[in-house]
Amino acid sequence: MNWEEIRSRESLTAKESKYICNDLMSTGLEMERLIVENFGPEDYYKVAQRRIGGGRIGGKACGLLLARKLIQARMPQYMDYMEPHDSYFVGSDVFYHYLEENDCMELRRRHMKEKEKFQEADELQSRIQNGSFSEAIQEEFLKVVRHYGDTPIIVRSSSFLEDGFGNAFSGKYESIFCINQGSEEERLSDLMNAVRSVYASTMNPSAIEYRRRWGLLDVDEQMALLIQKVAGQRYDNFYMPVAAGMGCSYNPYKWMENMNPDAGMIRMVMGLGTRAVERTPGDYPRLVGLDRAQANLRTTVAERHKYSQRNVDVMDYASNSLCTKRLEEVIEELPGWQKKLVLSHDTEAEELLAQRGKYKQVLFADCQGMVNNDLFIQMVKDILGMLQEVYGRPVDVEFAVNSAAKGEWKLNLLQCRPLQASVSEKIHIPEEKVKEFLFDVRRTSMRRSKMEKLDIIVWVDPRKYYEYPYAKKFHVAQKIDEINRHYEDTDKKMMLLVPGRIGTSSPELGVPVVYANISAFCAICEVAYSEVGYHPELSYGSHMFQDLVEADVYYGAINENSKTRCYQPRLLKQHPDIFPKLFPGNEELGEIIKIFDVSDCNAQLLLDSKKGRAVCWLAAPLIPR
């Protein structure tokens, strides 16, 4: 294709644009339509000039480029506050030829044919991880290394199935940070290792489970790549943006009655955005409803400090890697104007210290300065609203914020994907049956309005889980995975009730499962139990959250406050615990995990998204026991 000739054209016919889009970017019908409607010759030319190898650039790259083009065309008033785009795209043909040249194609074909019976996943993953690139592709990678110099970069998956209108694959494939230091040869080697790791992640268990869950195991998943400069700036010993996070055009977490869910929300952290999309023990990102940005979940300074960010993710030059630093270490490097954007004073703690003759600042990270910036909040709100309107459904984005000088800031849009749309039902909740409600919660849940019949409720006893030895707590997660696999090919509707946080990496805060361990459940509830310190923290914006949204899974919290009208776990004991029957000889775990069969009554999960209300109704057994 003669790209210089295409560039010289004033316009393209719809047929010509469709052909170029299919060759360079996407064949997905909805994405293709949006690209053809909005891209011109110069836009295609710029993409082609940054493509390595042949083939399409994949879903993540398409979503990013389309979103940026839409902002440029429809909201030019915000372009002065946007960081320019600076990415490279590794075409899907590079992946295909890499598999051929490294003797992976036969194993890959067998994997697609044998599906769940395939026994050589580790061998295939090892071959992909340890393969070699052709000299021609190495030369292309060298151009990338020279372009970015010593600025840190990130290699991200951009498969054909990612960030489209069907499946988002949120967090299923690897994203590899490269500190990009050392000699040119060392930087090239690091880049190629990162590419290999992303390619190998197509065989990750979570990715395979996701494809199995959505009937995609026999689809020839083509992996393109998106190479981006890591957003941020260099400090003395590390590199990071001032702030980063994710935004969603629909706010599923209505924590105040007069909040408008259609205004959207953001989840923001200081430093790299990794802490905004993953569950991090002991850390709390800032959650902002864009119609009422100042409406903080925490009402006192002490609460705001307690539920704030303790650690910051940065690119560390000493270790040549992505690492986590204590907030106190990072604060010292920030200029004053940046501190004002992301840090707040614990005035109460400072006053107490002063009374004792100790005068020091007590700072915590809550991104309050960005929240107070009306232009920033309005800009994000407008962009999310526009993208939702064009896409015809809610979207989420990932972004970073840089501030190179006092009074200046710029937004770097890093990703955009459509969320899966579902139609809500009209729901009637029988108020007279409150004595039969397992729980009745308000403003602590997400999902569309719906009635879901329940067959199985898996309940983890919070007291006994707390008392279980730390080293054995992972066995609880493993057993939940076994329960998940036992029911995954059945039509049983299951709900999971766990203490504290779901998906945490720290067992003392909750049950350390990943989405693949709970993919068969239609409802997930985090349950508070303050006697031993379990507190739910719904992780809106995390990769697990995206998985639950896609799968139309209810995700909620049962707190010990006014948002929980009632919680009556004693009602579960009216129903048989079938754990001993399913797992004989597991008496120890059977004391902690209960599997209640509620199919003997008309058990229902009732969700009213308009009121932000969720009720689990356990009618008395149809046949008395």
Side-chain angles (χ1 to χ4, degrees):
M1 195 171 288
N2 189 328
W3 292 108
E4 291 295 340
E5 181 183 332
I6 290 170
R7 186 188 191 189
S8 67
R9 299 274 299 276
E10 288 188 11
S11 62
L12 299 166
T13 67
K15 184 176 180 180
E16 289 171 329
S17 187
K18 180 178 184 297
Y19 176 80
I20 296 171
C21 175
N22 292 167
D23 180 72
L24 180 66
M25 299 184 73
S26 177
T27 58
L29 294 180
E30 291 175 277
M31 184 60 73
E32 173 199 278
R33 175 182 62 80
L34 291 173
I35 291 171
V36 168
E37 287 176 357
N38 292 281
F39 274 52
E42 181 72 17
D43 301 310
Y44 289 125
Y45 174 82
K46 288 179 178 178
V47 177
Q49 295 306 109
R50 288 296 187 98
R51 180 179 60 167
I52 295 170
R56 295 190 291 279
I57 62 174
K60 191 173 290 180
C62 284
L64 170 64
L65 292 171
L66 176 60
R68 283 182 165 270
K69 178 63 180 178
L70 290 169
I71 295 169
Q72 176 189 349
R74 299 181 180 225
M75 295 188 160
Q77 70 272 27
Y78 290 134
M79 290 308 295
D80 287 344
Y81 300 97
M82 296 284 294
E83 288 274 5
H85 174 249
D86 188 10
S87 300
Y88 278 85
F89 316 104
V90 181
S92 56
D93 285 359
V94 177
F95 178 61
Y96 182 83
H97 292 310
Y98 179 82
L99 294 179
E100 275 194 329
E101 292 161 1
N102 291 284
D103 198 24
C104 297
M105 292 303 288
E106 178 57 31
L107 281 177
R108 184 172 168 83
R109 279 191 288 268
R110 281 179 46 204
H111 180 226
M112 291 169 60
K113 182 179 179 180
E114 297 174 16
K115 300 180 184 178
E116 292 95 334
K117 298 178 181 178
F118 185 68
Q119 298 295 316
E120 296 177 78
D122 290 344
E123 170 63 22
L124 177 53
Q125 188 171 37
S126 176
R127 290 190 192 182
I128 297 174
Q129 181 70 67
N130 296 292
S132 59
F133 292 96
S134 68
E135 288 188 14
I137 292 301
Q138 289 190 51
E139 284 297 318
E140 292 294 310
F141 286 150
L142 187 57
K143 292 178 185 177
V144 175
V145 167
R146 288 170 176 166
H147 171 80
Y148 289 121
D150 60 358
T151 301
I153 59 176
I154 181 172
V155 180
R156 310 180 72 189
S157 62
S158 183
S159 87
F160 286 5
L161 296 177
E162 279 186 278
D163 290 9
F165 284 81
N167 307 283
F169 275 79
S170 304
K172 297 297 174 293
Y173 301 128
E174 295 287 350
S175 291
I176 305 296
F177 287 89
C178 298
I179 193 72
N180 211 20
Q181 303 295 298
S183 68
E184 190 172 85
E185 291 75 16
E186 289 171 325
R187 288 182 283 133
L188 175 61
S189 176
D190 287 345
L191 172 59
M192 292 192 296
N193 284 336
V195 170
R196 293 184 184 99
S197 293
V198 178
Y199 282 169
S201 70
T202 57
M203 298 305 298
N204 283 349
S206 289
I208 293 172
E209 164 62 19
Y210 187 95
R211 292 204 297 270
R212 186 204 67 77
R213 185 75 176 163
W214 292 96
L216 298 170
L217 282 177
D218 55 354
V219 173
D220 187 16
E221 170 69 328
Q222 292 294 305
M223 180 61 74
L225 301 175
L226 174 61
I227 303 176
Q228 295 175 294
K229 178 176 73 174
V230 175
Q233 69 181 77
R234 179 161 188 168
Y235 297 85
D236 187 18
N237 298 311
F238 60 86
Y239 181 102
M240 70 170 198
V242 175
M246 61 78 57
C248 184
S249 63
Y250 180 83
N251 183 2
Y253 192 8
K254 188 178 177 182
W255 65 83
M256 293 180 68
E257 288 289 353
N258 54 356
M259 270 190 164
N260 177 13
D262 294 321
M265 54 82 74
I266 57 175
R267 177 179 162 101
M268 191 161 46
V269 296
M270 176 181 167
L272 293 171
T274 42
R275 302 189 83 75
V277 296
E278 300 293 351
R279 303 221 69 168
T280 49
D283 263 13
Y284 299 86
R286 181 64 183 272
L287 201 62
V288 182
L290 292 174
D291 62 326
R292 297 176 62 82
Q294 301 298 329
N296 201 319
L297 276 165
R298 319 300 174 187
T299 56
T300 67
V301 174
E303 279 189 326
R304 286 168 51 206
H305 190 171
K306 180 179 178 181
Y307 295 102
S308 66
Q309 188 179 349
R310 301 285 191 276
N311 300 289
V312 183
D313 285 351
V314 302
M315 300 295 295
D316 181 56
Y317 290 109
S319 63
N320 280 338
S321 65
L322 171 71
C323 82
T324 300
K325 288 183 175 288
R326 290 183 300 106
L327 179 63
E328 293 76 14
E329 298 177 76
V330 176
I331 287 176
E332 298 301 319
E333 302 281 352
L334 267 61
W337 77 83
Q338 290 185 356
K339 290 180 180 179
K340 290 180 179 179
L341 292 178
V342 292
L343 301 173
S344 289
H345 284 266
D346 187 335
T347 52
E348 294 175 359
E350 289 175 347
E351 186 176 339
L352 285 172
L353 287 171
Q355 290 173 3
R356 299 170 187 170
K358 297 179 181 179
Y359 299 93
K360 62 174 288 189
Q361 292 183 332
V362 180
L363 298 169
F364 61 94
D366 64 350
C367 298
Q368 186 64 40
M370 294 305 305
V371 175
N372 289 340
N373 190 304
D374 293 340
L375 175 59
F376 170 74
I377 295 296
Q378 191 63 48
M379 176 180 170
V380 175
K381 180 181 176 182
D382 289 348
I383 287 173
L384 288 171
M386 178 273 293
L387 292 173
Q388 174 170 303
E389 181 181 357
V390 175
Y391 273 77
R393 63 183 66 195
V395 301
D396 79 12
V397 301
E398 292 181 15
F399 65 86
V401 178
N402 292 321
S403 177
K406 186 176 181 179
E408 294 182 8
W409 57 266
K410 292 207 177 217
L411 181 79
N412 194 337
L413 187 68
L414 305 173
Q415 185 171 341
C416 176
R417 59 191 162 212
L419 298 176
Q420 308 316 309
S422 300
V423 177
S424 287
E425 305 171 7
K426 289 186 177 179
I427 295 300
H428 170 69
I429 296 177
E431 307 293 350
E432 70 281 3
K433 299 290 186 179
V434 66
K435 291 183 179 180
E436 297 178 353
F437 291 173
L438 173 62
F439 61 74
D440 181 356
V441 298
R442 317 291 174 98
R443 306 191 307 280
T444 58
S445 58
M446 55 111 334
R447 213 178 82 163
R448 64 191 176 98
S449 294
K450 190 176 183 181
M451 188 280 285
E452 191 93 76
K453 185 182 182 303
L454 296 173
D455 301 297
I456 300 291
I457 296 178
V458 178
W459 180 74
V460 177
D461 186 310
R463 166 62 67 178
K464 291 179 179 176
Y465 179 74
Y466 171 76
E467 293 172 347
Y468 205 45
Y470 180 89
K472 291 185 174 183
K473 287 189 188 322
F474 287 98
H475 298 169
V476 175
Q478 291 165 2
K479 188 57 66 176
I480 288 174
D481 178 60
E482 288 184 46
I483 297 168
N484 189 74
R485 284 186 280 114
H486 178 82
Y487 284 106
E488 65 184 357
D489 292 322
T490 72
D491 58 359
K492 299 290 187 183
K493 297 289 187 180
M494 299 196 298
M495 180 166 69
L496 176 64
L497 303 176
V498 293
R501 306 187 200 178
I502 190 79
T504 177
S505 58
S506 296
E508 72 274 13
L509 299 179
V511 181
V513 294
V514 296
Y515 175 69
N517 306 138
I518 57 173
S519 59
F521 289 87
C522 69
I524 310 291
C525 275
E526 299 181 353
V527 183
Y529 192 64
S530 58
E531 280 187 39
V532 297
Y534 290 132
H535 301 286
E537 178 67 22
L538 297 180
S539 56
Y540 297 107
S542 69
H543 286 146
M544 182 174 283
F545 164 80
Q546 299 298 342
D547 289 325
L548 299 175
V549 169
E550 276 193 75
D552 199 23
V553 172
Y554 167 74
Y555 176 38
I558 301 172
N559 291 295
E560 295 174 336
N561 56 29
S562 60
K563 294 175 184 177
T564 299
R565 299 296 180 88
C566 74
Y567 176 49
Q568 305 178 96
R570 58 181 173 75
L571 296 181
L572 291 170
K573 296 178 181 179
Q574 298 177 14
H575 306 276
D577 173 17
I578 59 174
F579 184 97
K581 179 180 177 182
L582 294 181
F583 302 103
N586 281 248
E587 290 80 7
E588 188 175 73
L589 283 173
E591 289 294 312
I592 302 169
I593 304 171
K594 304 294 182 182
I595 305 176
F596 294 106
D597 183 347
V598 296
S599 59
D600 58 357
C601 74
N602 188 28
Q604 299 176 29
L605 181 61
L606 303 168
L607 309 171
D608 187 336
S609 61
K610 187 175 181 180
K611 294 181 179 179
R613 185 181 181 190
V615 169
C616 180
W617 178 21
L618 295 181
L622 299 177
I623 302 174
R625 295 183 177 278

